[in-house]
Amino acid sequence: MAKTDLFSSYDLLPKTWDEMYNDSSVFRTQYEEFITYLENTSSEKLTKKEDLAKQLFMSQGVTFTVYNDNEGIEKIFPFDIVPRIITSSEWNKIESGIKQRLKALNLFIKDIYNEQFIIKDGIVPGELIYSCPNYLREMKGVKVPHDIYVHISGVDLIRNNDGEFYVLEDNLRTPSGVSYMLENREISKRLFPGILPKSNVRSVSNYPNLLYKKLKELSNKPEPNIVLLTPGIYNSAYYEHTTLARLMGIELVEGSDLVVKNHYVYMKTTNGLKQVDVIYRRVDDDFLDPLEFNEKSVLGVAGIMAAYRKGHVNIVNAPGTGIADDKAIYIYVPDMIKYYLGEEPILKNIETYQLGRPDELDYVTKNIKDMVIKKTDGSGGYGMLMGHEATKEEIKDYLDNVKKKPENFIAQPILRLSTAPCYIDGKLSPRCIDLRPFALTGKDGIDICPGGLTRVALKKGSLVVNSSQGGGSKDTWVIE
């Protein structure tokens, strides 16, 4: 097949970094092996591979749930067969930047729930902490094993048109998406069995073993009882909960499967009660314990926080970590890195405006067409306004809502996300992407899985990569 057939409709976007082409419209070296394969493969064969990928996702039940969707709630996760390829030097910078960031964020959480030096020294305003819905007074003074609050994290990165990676947000509560990273790689192995080893692609399949090891070392017992606490089958990431429990060989439980007696947590089994030592929870703080948080919650376990405070059970991630991934706190992360580590940030933040400040609200209102506005405690792409796409009426309604409680919103300039090649309608076409690498923190340090989840805005011209908003994903190859 002629090279021009597959690449003929690849229209590079102006002022946008493309992952495959450099500024001179020449292929970047990390893509050369894969490009050679594409040039020698017919579009019919590639379409068959695309169909096979869909069948595999369907048969594996790789789904996610979309709320507020008239078509029905469960969907197959859209997958693009062309991998996103990252060089080893790029990865080294990403890895060191995320490690630095997580060290600082963990120290910040410890500080906030103990001595609060960062508030006393005037780096982060106290009123911002105390007004944050993710700040848990119940965690004040609680000792956590090895002083680690954030064991599992997913940091969202984007590459701007200057070629640099920027941190979009830190996901430190119950980050999701790692099962899609694992599944994407399994699909790639089926689709391109010869290319992965030839390209020296680093493996991601060790993640479940590494996660199990990190969870296990939280307990003093040689063989602790570890469970994964899920909100249940109606949660959008239930597929992931079942996958991780299966791959780690641990029990998947719901709140009703657990009970607290004398400040110890037990799992109900056919042989009676069995003590639980470590809980990897995928239930948000608010629903964790009806005695201390939302009293109507049936997803958590009554008394679990008292057991946790006494050190009789470990909860991962620790309750209260949401204080550090709140979008209003995000602004201060570079200052935290300087304050706690005495270092300059390796990965930069995106310029962010706090709408609680009248001058910044005024600036954002005047430049609304160049801005994206988000709720400080929002996630999944819900409840945000993309200024360049919204109508005058939508903007007015949204700003009226913002002005009721402006401190609950932040704004960022709309960035030019980098583009990567996607196989769409028999041709390659550029689409906007981001990257969520997954990190695991334990007493031996921080391990980052070499790759991560590359999310794709599959709609042409769209910047929204969230699966809940019509995005998909692709495999992420880090070259040795």
Side-chain angles (χ1 to χ4, degrees), residues 159-437:
R159 200 203 288 261
N160 201 2
N161 53 5
D162 58 4
E164 290 293 321
F165 284 97
Y166 289 77
V167 177
L168 189 62
E169 62 185 27
D170 306 285
N171 298 286
L172 310 177
R173 282 170 272 179
T174 53
S176 63
V178 76
S179 61
Y180 304 123
M181 171 192 82
L182 297 169
E183 195 59 45
N184 288 353
R185 179 57 55 85
E186 291 307 307
I187 301 285
S188 287
K189 286 178 186 172
R190 293 282 296 272
L191 300 182
F192 313 115
I195 302 177
L196 280 131
K198 209 186 274 186
S199 300
N200 282 333
V201 178
R202 292 181 65 183
S203 172
V204 296
S205 57
N206 195 38
Y207 179 90
N209 295 336
L210 201 55
L211 174 57
Y212 181 77
K213 179 176 167 278
K214 300 281 186 196
L215 295 173
K216 188 178 175 183
E217 67 188 25
L218 287 171
S219 173
N220 298 324
K221 296 180 181 176
E223 292 300 326
N225 184 21
I226 305 170
V227 300
L228 193 155
L229 176 62
T230 175
I233 60 169
Y234 298 109
N235 184 267
S236 59
Y238 185 69
Y239 162 77
E240 175 155 302
H241 306 165
T242 59
T243 301
L244 288 175
R246 177 173 53 81
L247 291 172
M248 287 192 286
I250 64 174
E251 292 289 346
L252 181 70
V253 298
E254 294 183 28
S256 56
D257 299 319
L258 302 178
V259 65
V260 175
K261 287 182 74 176
N262 301 324
H263 301 305
Y264 285 90
V265 181
Y266 295 91
M267 175 175 69
K268 300 169 188 171
T269 75
T270 50
N271 296 322
L273 297 179
K274 183 180 179 185
Q275 190 183 334
V276 174
D277 304 297
V278 181
I279 299 172
Y280 172 23
R281 53 87 177 225
R282 296 296 293 259
V283 173
D284 291 340
D285 288 349
D286 199 30
F287 301 100
L288 203 51
D289 187 339
L291 296 182
E292 304 209 17
F293 306 124
N294 185 338
E295 61 186 31
K296 293 179 181 166
S297 171
V298 292
L299 303 177
V301 188
I304 197 172
M305 281 299 292
Y308 178 66
R309 279 196 292 267
K310 284 190 175 288
H312 294 167
V313 71
N314 290 302
I315 299 175
V316 174
N317 285 340
T321 52
I323 184 64
D325 73 2
D326 187 273
K327 291 178 177 66
I329 300 291
Y330 162 91
I331 297 165
Y332 295 94
V333 177
D335 296 329
M336 290 176 203
I337 292 169
K338 292 171 192 165
Y339 180 74
Y340 292 117
L341 306 178
E343 299 170 0
E344 286 298 314
I346 297 167
L347 295 172
K348 295 176 190 164
N349 264 20
I350 297 163
E351 190 177 6
T352 304
Y353 301 94
Q354 276 184 302
L355 302 191
R357 296 174 181 166
D359 55 330
E360 297 192 12
L361 175 60
D362 185 51
Y363 177 80
V364 168
T365 305
K366 285 174 181 166
N367 296 277
I368 193 74
K369 284 289 180 186
D370 302 318
M371 296 286 172
V372 53
I373 304 182
K374 305 173 183 176
K375 292 178 177 176
T376 54
D377 60 346
S379 65
Y382 291 103
M384 66 183 190
L385 178 86
M386 302 290 284
H388 68 304
E389 291 176 351
T391 64
K392 280 185 179 176
E393 202 169 292
E394 284 170 338
I395 289 171
K396 183 185 177 301
D397 289 347
Y398 197 93
L399 287 176
D400 286 346
N401 191 31
V402 167
K403 283 165 187 169
K404 289 173 191 168
K405 264 203 150 181
E407 66 276 9
N408 288 357
F409 295 86
I410 54 112
Q412 293 169 330
I414 293 169
L415 295 176
R416 297 219 169 247
L417 273 66
S418 66
T419 54
C422 293
Y423 185 70
I424 295 168
D425 299 330
K427 291 190 174 159
L428 289 186
S429 187
R431 291 290 186 271
C432 292
I433 56 168
D434 77 351
L435 176 65
R436 178 179 289 183

